[in-house]
Amino acid sequence: MKIINRFECFAAAAFLLATALFSAGCASSKEVAIASQSVSAEASVAEVNKYGNCVLNLSDADFIAKGFAAGDIVSVKIGTYTERMPVCTSFSDVDHGKPLVRLADNVVTIAINMGNFSKASSASVGSPVTLRLSEKGGYLSQFAVRKLTKSDERSDYASDEIFANFRPVKAGKIAANRLYRSCNPVLGDARAPYAAKLVESAGIKTVINLADNSESAATHIADSPYYENLLKNGNVTLLNMGVSFTDDDFVKKLHEGLVFMIAHKEGPYLVHCNEGKDRAGYVNALLEALCGATIEEMTEDYMLSFENYYGVKKDTEQYRLISKNLPDMFKKMNDGKAVTNENIASVAESYLLNRVGLKAEELAELKAILQ
């Protein structure tokens, strides 16, 4: 019961904090209007990272000192781009595809969850940014529901597999113990050693590493000799992907990764990013759909990562909000049209053929090595 109690305590604390902030932030419409006019910040883009997130030359402490807080809604202006967005602390505090102002790592970052903000806003290094308070505490209720908290203590989790988010992908017609997903075995964090041992125990033969390039992988790979040997033998591809499946760079690297899988016909296969949650969730969902999985099967597999990492429980509002991400991804692939169990395989095939650029024979080979 330890893991349940720990996560319930985290969730309760987050809710109480958000409630307190909300109560403190409540004001008359006149007071809010005055606050909105007076609370503002001028900054510029100091860095655009590989995900398209814009890191500002503004610390989170200075931002808070000006009167902003997590749970506020702010108006962000960069050139001709203007958008209202919530102030949050994690990307998962908003739906996939939605913008946010993120307070983390001592800086203020403007981003789109699983998207490319720089591309959407045409922002680049040096672009001036104006942030103005729009609604004090306007996102606090959503912030409280969505807030995810994890522990880095192995003892807080029921098994090594749950701690490392390591598991076989079973949806659809995928063969038993043929395809796996996990957190990053060479990240150098608390979970990596457990993931590395599980990779070896499962006898993984081919790895699609969505997160690293050669430099970042080399930093901690000596701690995982089995994984290191796979890389030396040419059985690991390092894709260093972004997070937006609509971006050309993501599509290009997805094509590279899938062609690598086809060329390395000896499984089991491992597809991982850093947490094994979003990028790995998307790629594995495509493979699941290709192999005849239902939306329900894919969503359940996707949500296991949130159960494993953050203790998100089924039949909660938090679970419902997060679980929309996967069907929404396929809906975007389908030009905004509804996706059902009857058409999801064809939507995945169309994306892989027409957007990713796989050939029909490559698609058939991909199915064959997984089933």
Side-chain angles (χ1 to χ4, degrees):
M1 295 297 292
K2 187 176 182 182
I3 182 174
I4 295 175
N5 292 337
R6 177 70 64 91
F7 280 121
E8 285 178 345
C9 287
F10 284 156
F15 180 77
L16 289 172
L17 174 61
T19 302
L21 287 170
F22 178 74
S23 298
C26 286
S28 68
S29 57
K30 183 177 180 181
E31 289 171 328
V32 170
I34 293 171
S36 298
Q37 293 172 10
S38 60
V39 177
S40 64
E42 299 291 334
S44 63
V45 177
E47 175 193 350
V48 177
N49 67 19
K50 73 175 185 179
Y51 306 113
N53 303 333
C54 291
V55 181
L56 306 187
N57 63 343
L58 177 66
S59 72
D60 53 359
D62 287 342
F63 185 72
I64 291 169
K66 290 179 181 293
F68 297 98
D72 291 346
I73 296 176
V74 301
S75 175
V76 175
K77 179 175 175 56
I78 304 178
T80 59
Y81 174 93
T82 303
E83 184 66 74
R84 275 167 41 100
M85 56 188 76
V87 179
C88 301
T89 56
S90 300
F91 297 109
S92 56
D93 292 337
V94 299
D95 285 339
H96 284 189
K98 297 297 183 181
L100 70 153
V101 176
R102 181 175 182 249
L103 309 183
D105 305 319
N106 302 315
V107 295
V108 178
T109 301
I110 307 177
I112 294 175
N113 184 20
M114 299 304 292
N116 188 320
F117 181 79
S118 175
K119 182 178 178 181
S121 63
S122 300
S124 58
V125 173
S127 294
V129 181
T130 299
L131 303 103
R132 193 175 301 277
L133 183 62
S134 179
E135 189 176 348
K136 187 68 179 172
Y139 197 72
L140 269 175
S141 59
Q142 283 284 310
F143 183 69
V145 170
R146 291 173 177 271
K147 190 64 186 166
L148 297 174
T149 306
K150 69 179 181 182
S151 166
D152 290 327
E153 295 294 330
R154 165 62 185 87
S155 58
D156 289 329
Y157 295 80
S159 68
D160 291 352
E161 288 81 2
I162 291 175
F163 186 56
N165 196 26
F166 183 94
R167 62 184 181 276
V169 178
K170 302 176 180 179
K173 298 177 182 177
I174 295 175
N177 303 315
R178 189 67 173 163
L179 176 65
Y180 288 79
R181 57 186 296 173
S182 79
C183 69
N184 193 337
V186 294
L187 186 60
D189 64 351
R191 287 170 165 79
Y194 294 90
K197 290 178 183 177
L198 290 164
V199 166
E200 184 173 1
S201 296
I204 298 297
K205 296 294 190 297
T206 303
V207 178
I208 315 301
N209 180 332
L210 307 176
D212 287 307
N213 55 25
S214 56
E215 183 179 354
S216 62
T219 306
H220 298 286
I221 200 166
D223 298 330
S224 177
Y226 181 85
Y227 194 108
E228 183 177 28
N229 193 54
L230 287 174
L231 180 61
K232 287 179 179 178
N233 290 333
N235 294 315
V236 179
T237 183
L238 305 171
L239 297 177
N240 191 31
M241 292 172 74
V243 295
S244 176
F245 70 90
T246 60
D247 279 2
D248 291 341
D249 182 68
F250 184 101
V251 169
K252 177 183 176 183
K253 289 175 178 177
L254 177 58
H255 180 273
E256 182 182 339
L258 296 179
V259 169
F260 185 86
M261 283 186 74
I262 294 166
H264 293 72
K265 300 192 187 308
E266 187 179 8
Y269 300 91
L270 172 69
V271 176
H272 76 82
C273 49
N274 281 336
E275 291 189 333
K277 178 169 61 68
D278 289 313
R279 282 171 290 182
Y282 278 3
V283 174
N284 279 297
L286 278 169
L287 299 176
E288 290 169 337
L290 191 63
C291 294
T294 64
I295 295 172
E296 292 76 19
E297 286 176 318
M298 288 183 285
T299 301
E300 184 173 348
D301 180 49
Y302 175 75
M303 288 304 297
L304 265 178
S305 295
F306 292 87
E307 295 176 58
N308 288 348
Y309 260 88
Y310 307 105
V312 175
K313 292 178 172 55
K314 292 182 179 179
D315 301 320
T316 63
E317 179 68 4
Q318 187 178 50
Y319 189 100
R320 186 192 69 78
L321 287 168
I322 298 170
S323 66
K324 296 190 308 177
N325 291 337
L326 203 63
D328 285 351
M329 178 192 79
F330 282 101
K331 186 176 179 181
K332 288 179 183 178
M333 288 180 182
N334 199 31
D335 298 324
K337 293 176 284 188
V339 176
T340 66
N341 288 333
E342 286 67 37
N343 71 358
I344 194 163
S346 61
V347 169
E349 288 186 10
S350 178
Y351 174 78
L352 292 171
L353 289 170
N354 301 321
R355 184 72 175 95
V356 177
L358 289 182
K359 299 173 184 176
E361 55 269 28
E362 290 175 324
L363 202 64
E365 285 186 74
L366 190 56
K367 286 184 184 180
I369 65 174
L370 291 172
Q371 297 181 154

